[in-house]
Amino acid sequence: MNCSPPQFQLLTIQPFKFGCNPQHALSSFDALKGSSSSILIVKLPTRSRNLLQLQSIRCGDPHPQNADFPRYYSRKERKPFPVPIVELRRAARERQKNRLTQPRGRLPPPKVGLVIKELIPLAYRVMNARITLINNLKQLLKVVPVHACKWCNEIHVGPIGHPFKSCRGPDVSIRKGLHEWGEAFVEDVMVQLESYHLYDRLGKRICHEERFSIPRIPAVVELCIQAGVDLPEYPTKRRRKPIIRIGKREFIDADETDLPDPIPEPSKPLIFNEVSDADVSPLSGKDETIFLAEETVRAWETMRGGARRLMKMYPVRVCGYCPEVHVGHSGHKAQNCGAHKHQQRNGQHGWQAAVLDDLIPPRYVWHVPDLNEEMKRELRNFYGQAPAVVEICVQAGGAVPERYKSTMRLDVGIPNDVAEAEMVV
């Protein structure tokens, strides 16, 4: 097995005296607890007899050998905050303390109504990667069989559906947890969450009465529009001067009449067209299938990597109780949350900062190690998982990306029968 070269990280511990408490000296190694990487500690004496400096070199791999599956949260649980509440409160107290002594820094361009010009090409790449991913999946689904449960939202990539009793749909007790498999479509593999399109992302929040008058588009498309992508069917307000704050939540637009006429911008990148289902052409051979699978994986990584960079500058909110996503500095006021105990909140969403998986759900599925053999229910703990897009590309002949090998458990030996599995410690 080919192993990537190890990476070394040099950790320097501050010098300490021999007469002090050893617990203070060992507290510098708290960051190394629970790490599977090998650690080399070298003692380097200094000129002073009472001082000793320790240096350690950590040898580790950025991608672990095996990793746990993403945790499943029930409808009664709230999503965890990306940053704990305690850390948010501590950071707020620090900002309040530094506000009196330090001058106020300059706000980033998105908070004053401007667009970051350096991220406009990235927004176009994310937009085209999304369209490329959809077009390629329509072709790969004609080669790789994908099944979807008729009662729940679980899907499976393989010749036949898996036998695991993991269905959470209605009347699950009658079917004893078994799935009832049917044909899957692109919308089942790539979940396209929708959000409201904002003409002015700094304008007033969408109220409950406007929930049907404002168009809803895919959240990734809305993120690209706010980052600089121009779509004629979805106009948006582009400011040339930063806004002027007159209050905590009030502002006025700066006067732009003194500015010269805008210079015609050079030709912007072309946006690909989405192919309809009727125009999807079948693949000619195995080589074309492998090439298309590799291109699909690259488009998947480009879309997720670019969206992660855009989310650092353009805020995205998600409801802590339901999958509703809003691209903007604050969530909307539409009372359409139907999650657990929504009556207590009068249907309002519990907005919090979103992570990448909230904007682009990966849809983890079971990895089929051998397409010629059926998966056994008793050997469930030995199988791995991967995002549905990655699993489709792997079964089509594409290479496995490094970051997903840890959850796919490619190096785990699968027993032949139940008796052999019981012998595993």
Side-chain angles (χ1 to χ4, degrees):
M1 183 176 66
N2 296 330
C3 298
S4 58
Q7 296 184 358
F8 296 91
Q9 182 179 2
L10 181 63
L11 302 178
T12 304
I13 290 85
Q14 298 295 332
F16 61 93
K17 295 183 179 181
F18 286 105
C20 65
N21 188 357
Q23 296 295 334
H24 297 287
L26 297 178
S27 62
S28 302
F29 294 95
D30 291 341
L32 305 179
K33 292 181 180 180
S35 176
S36 59
S37 305
S38 58
I39 302 173
L40 175 63
I41 300 179
V42 183
K43 296 182 179 180
L44 300 178
T46 58
R47 295 181 180 179
S48 177
R49 296 181 179 180
N50 297 330
L51 296 179
L52 180 66
Q53 186 176 5
L54 298 181
Q55 290 186 352
S56 63
I57 300 177
R58 179 189 300 180
C59 175
D61 191 356
H63 303 291
Q65 183 178 7
N66 292 311
D68 296 333
F69 301 149
R71 180 188 170 188
Y72 170 78
Y73 293 94
S74 65
R75 297 181 179 180
K76 298 182 180 180
E77 293 182 274
R78 182 182 177 125
K79 299 184 184 73
F81 289 90
V83 181
I85 293 294
V86 178
E87 298 294 336
L88 293 176
R89 292 176 179 175
R90 183 181 294 111
R93 289 193 297 266
E94 290 294 333
R95 289 194 302 267
Q96 186 68 20
K97 185 186 301 182
N98 298 334
R99 188 175 299 175
L100 302 176
T101 58
Q102 298 180 0
R104 188 172 182 179
R106 181 179 298 179
L107 296 176
K111 288 190 176 182
V112 294
L114 302 180
V115 177
I116 303 177
K117 295 183 179 180
E118 291 77 7
L119 295 181
I120 294 179
L122 177 63
Y124 276 93
R125 289 197 298 268
V126 173
M127 190 76 176
N128 289 331
R130 173 185 171 273
I131 299 177
T132 302
L133 181 62
I134 294 176
N135 295 338
N136 292 356
L137 285 177
K138 291 181 179 180
Q139 291 183 292
L140 290 177
L141 288 182
K142 296 183 177 297
V143 180
V144 180
V146 182
H147 305 275
C149 182
K150 298 180 180 179
W151 300 97
C152 66
N153 59 354
E154 189 167 348
I155 61 176
H156 180 73
V157 182
I160 58 176
H162 64 73
F164 306 138
K165 298 181 179 181
S166 57
C167 184
R168 300 183 180 92
D171 300 333
V172 64
S173 58
I174 300 177
R175 291 175 283 106
K176 298 181 180 180
L178 293 175
H179 295 277
E180 186 176 349
W181 299 109
E183 184 181 0
F185 302 95
V186 178
E187 292 76 11
D188 300 323
V189 177
M190 181 180 172
V191 181
Q192 302 185 32
L193 299 177
E194 293 185 348
S195 65
Y196 287 105
H197 170 61
L198 303 180
Y199 172 74
D200 185 6
R201 67 173 183 270
L202 297 183
K204 295 182 179 180
R205 298 174 63 182
I206 300 174
C207 60
H208 182 68
E209 291 74 15
E210 299 175 345
R211 64 188 186 279
F212 297 123
S213 59
I214 298 179
R216 292 178 63 88
I217 60 177
V220 179
V221 177
E222 175 63 20
L223 179 63
C224 296
I225 291 176
Q226 294 189 14
V229 175
D230 293 330
L231 295 179
E233 58 270 23
Y234 299 111
T236 183
K237 187 174 183 178
R238 305 292 187 192
R239 294 181 175 87
R240 302 171 60 189
K241 279 187 176 182
I243 60 175
I244 301 175
R245 293 282 181 181
I246 59 177
K248 185 176 181 180
R249 298 182 181 273
E250 298 179 358
F251 67 91
I252 58 176
D253 291 333
D255 186 13
E256 299 180 357
T257 57
D258 57 336
L259 295 178
D261 295 337
I263 302 175
E265 298 181 0
S267 58
K268 295 183 178 180
L270 297 178
I271 299 178
F272 300 157
N273 296 324
E274 186 174 341
V275 180
S276 60
D277 297 339
D279 298 336
V280 176
S281 58
L283 300 176
S284 58
K286 185 177 180 180
D287 295 338
E288 185 180 359
T289 304
I290 296 176
F291 174 79
L292 193 66
E294 297 287 350
E295 184 183 14
T296 305
V297 172
R298 290 194 298 268
W300 170 258
E301 294 295 331
T302 301
M303 183 182 66
R304 286 181 60 88
R308 182 185 290 107
R309 290 185 56 188
L310 294 178
M311 291 175 63
K312 294 180 180 179
M313 301 305 300
Y314 299 92
V316 180
R317 303 295 178 182
V318 65
C319 179
Y321 304 97
C322 70
E324 180 72 13
V325 175
H326 181 79
V327 183
H329 64 284
S330 59
H332 58 77
K333 295 183 179 180
Q335 302 173 3
N336 54 3
C337 182
H340 181 64
K341 293 185 178 180
H342 63 89
Q343 299 88 351
Q344 299 180 2
R345 305 186 307 274
N346 197 18
Q348 295 182 356
H349 296 280
W351 297 111
Q352 64 186 44
V355 295
L356 181 61
D357 290 346
D358 297 327
L359 182 67
I360 308 175
R363 292 301 303 272
Y364 275 82
V365 297
W366 291 101
H367 170 61
V368 182
D370 190 357
L371 298 178
N372 299 324
E373 296 183 3
E374 297 183 6
M375 302 180 70
K376 299 180 181 180
R377 186 182 307 166
E378 296 79 6
L379 306 179
R380 176 175 177 175
N381 295 333
F382 296 91
Y383 297 115
Q385 291 185 0
V389 176
V390 177
E391 180 65 18
I392 291 175
C393 297
V394 170
Q395 293 191 16
V400 181
E402 289 292 335
R403 66 177 60 193
Y404 301 112
K405 288 183 178 180
S406 57
T407 57
M408 296 177 70
R409 298 180 179 177
L410 300 178
D411 57 343
V412 176
I414 300 178
N416 297 325
D417 50 12
V418 181
E420 185 177 351
E422 294 177 352
M423 300 174 59
V424 178
V425 179

